Amino acid sequence: MTEILLLSSASFPPGVLGCSLVLMAQGFYSAADDVVELNPSNFNREVLQSDSLWLIEFYAPWCGHCQSLTADWKKTATALKGIVKVGAVDADQHKSLGGQYGVRGFPSIKIFGANKNKPDDYQGGRSSQAIVDGALNTLRTLVKDRMSGRSGGSDNSRQSGGGGGSKKNVVELTDDNFDRLVLDSGEVWLVEFFAPWCGHCKSLEPEWAAAASAVKEQTKDKVHLGAVDATVHQGLASRYGVRGFPTIKIFKKGEEPEDYQGGRTRGDIIARALDLFSDNAAPPELLEILNADVLKKTCDDYQLCVIAVLPHILDTGAAGRNSYLEVMMKMAEKYKKKMWGWLWTEAGAQMELEAALGIGGFGYPAMTAINARKMKFALLKGSFSETGIHEFLRDLSVGRGSTATVGGGALPKINSVDAWDGKDGELPVDEYDLSDVDLDDDIGKEEL
């Protein structure tokens, strides 16, 4: 019978809303449990090359919600033994696995189905009963797909030997195209110099291909992996001092290339590429909430939306508003590696949003951070300053912030408004027609 494996692994960057900081011993599971412990050494063999359906939780030992889930996770593994496998990866210890699959919060549960290279996020409840129900529903879907011929299980021709990526995402670089594609692009490149006869190069090839596919998707094609056959393009190899194979070099705009010093697994390569992407990425755009689409797209695209409600323009003027926006942009730059969304609105412009977030029409400027997937939010309780906001976001990033549920359990109605023109506000001028008013009727009369 096809088995479903549920894995648990710590998130790669510290999570956002939801986990409290608790120091404890590493690892939640032992050999006596029915939970399968996974790590970079056995993940490819156990998961990627299997025909099983895996439902995977990524955990961090210090995460309070992860600790609370442990008993249910063990219970789930026992209940589904022989039908569904349940596993766990400590991603604090094995960050490469968390980074490889884009894990950014704790606990994160992913479903590795017929296509092991593109796991789906598990969105169900966190009780053992809910997880079991979700696993069995997913199993039924997989079986139906296989019966209809839509799924053939694992693709061993690609995944055996550590495959799982397509060579098409590795850019073939030559003497003729290297300068144009790499040096003139202004983007980040990781370039492998290889020799076809090199055994270590052959071992690296499937890891490089898998990493290239993942990096292309996760960086929106802003970081590239390329390969140079150094036995054919000897001029390039000589130019960059290549003396052994494989040699990997990192190319960044306006800088001398540097040697790649990391590990050679796909997880190591992906993690380094994502670090390079974050280091060289522009700070996220700070958008005014002009309509529902702006809020929805930002909160859907990013795990966390940071929203400021600024005082009315008549209360601060352009200079005051710009000072608040400048603080937000500095914080967006500081936290750009988190890849959060950043939004702002004027007090009173989105009253339903303010009500849903408990801002309540007073205390401006205010700031909140929303996890739209969980419909949870946290409010800034300190000062609206670089120090106050930094402390607020720092606590959230390590799971220490207190949270509440968004009012109504969904994003509220958003009004369409005009964009701020960058100018001071003007009081409305009311014009009255006094031509039919006789102002002299009562002049000179005294009331007894």
Side-chain angles (χ1 to χ4, degrees), residues 67-122:
Q67 295 161 26
S68 299
L69 182 62
T70 302
D72 280 299
W73 203 252
K74 291 179 181 180
K75 187 176 179 180
T76 298
T78 300
L80 295 175
K81 188 174 182 179
I83 304 171
V84 174
K85 291 182 179 178
V86 178
V89 178
D90 179 350
D92 245 11
Q93 182 178 358
H94 306 298
K95 291 183 174 62
S96 60
L97 279 179
Q100 181 174 345
Y101 296 107
V103 175
R104 299 184 181 279
F106 308 126
S108 288
I109 301 175
K110 291 182 179 289
I111 303 168
F112 286 70
N115 185 349
K116 295 295 194 297
N117 301 312
K118 290 187 177 180
D120 297 317
D121 291 331
Y122 169 77

Side-chain angles (χ1 to χ4, degrees), residues 43-328:
F43 195 88
N44 180 65
R45 180 183 70 256
E46 295 286 345
V47 181
L48 300 184
Q49 295 187 43
S50 75
D51 287 323
S52 300
L53 182 67
W54 298 63
L55 203 152
I56 303 179
E57 179 214 1
F58 292 81
Y59 77 91
W62 48 260
C63 165
H65 285 290
C66 301
Q67 295 161 26
S68 299
L69 182 62
T70 302
D72 280 299
W73 203 252
K74 291 179 181 180
K75 187 176 179 180
T76 298
T78 300
L80 295 175
K81 188 174 182 179
I83 304 171
V84 174
K85 291 182 179 178
V86 178
V89 178
D90 179 350
D92 245 11
Q93 182 178 358
H94 306 298
K95 291 183 174 62
S96 60
L97 279 179
Q100 181 174 345
Y101 296 107
V103 175
R104 299 184 181 279
F106 308 126
S108 288
I109 301 175
K110 291 182 179 289
I111 303 168
F112 286 70
N115 185 349
K116 295 295 194 297
N117 301 312
K118 290 187 177 180
D120 297 317
D121 291 331
Y122 169 77
Q123 303 287 1
R126 299 302 172 91
S127 68
S128 58
Q129 185 63 60
I131 298 169
V132 168
D133 290 343
L136 293 178
N137 287 336
T138 306
L139 178 59
R140 291 188 189 96
T141 300
L142 176 62
V143 171
K144 288 180 181 178
D145 287 345
R146 287 181 178 177
M147 290 183 68
S148 64
R150 290 196 294 269
S151 172
S154 64
D155 184 357
N156 288 317
S157 65
R158 286 176 53 190
Q159 293 181 2
S160 60
S166 173
K167 290 183 182 179
K168 69 180 182 181
N169 292 317
V170 177
V171 181
E172 183 180 354
L173 298 169
T174 67
D175 288 319
D176 294 332
N177 68 12
F178 190 91
D179 286 6
R180 174 173 55 84
L181 293 180
V182 179
L183 302 184
D184 297 339
S185 70
E187 295 178 340
V188 177
W189 283 78
L190 284 80
V191 178
E192 175 203 4
F193 293 83
F194 72 94
W197 46 260
C198 164
H200 288 297
C201 301
K202 293 177 183 177
S203 298
L204 178 62
E205 182 179 2
E207 301 298 312
W208 198 249
S213 299
V215 169
K216 179 183 178 70
E217 180 178 354
Q218 293 183 37
T219 68
K220 296 180 172 58
D221 207 19
K222 296 298 184 182
V223 176
H224 312 275
L225 271 66
V228 175
D229 184 342
T231 65
V232 175
H233 306 289
Q234 297 180 16
L236 281 175
S238 177
R239 192 202 313 191
Y240 294 110
V242 175
R243 301 185 182 281
F245 306 116
T247 292
I248 302 174
K249 291 186 176 287
I250 298 170
F251 293 82
K252 295 182 285 188
K253 181 180 180 181
E255 299 181 22
E256 289 295 314
E258 62 182 82
D259 290 331
Y260 170 82
Q261 303 289 356
R264 300 299 174 90
T265 68
R266 69 192 69 186
D268 294 326
I269 298 164
I270 291 167
R272 182 70 176 107
L274 293 178
D275 281 343
L276 289 166
F277 173 68
S278 298
D279 290 341
N280 291 273
E285 191 174 6
L286 177 57
L287 301 174
E288 184 179 3
I289 302 175
L290 301 178
N291 51 55
D293 289 341
V294 173
L295 179 66
K296 185 177 187 307
K297 185 176 189 311
T298 303
C299 290
D300 285 349
D301 287 352
Y302 299 97
Q303 186 169 20
L304 203 67
C305 288
V306 181
I307 302 175
V309 182
L310 303 182
H312 195 281
I313 190 63
L314 292 176
D315 294 329
T316 63
R321 174 167 292 181
N322 282 325
S323 68
Y324 290 132
L325 294 176
E326 183 179 356
V327 169
M328 286 196 71

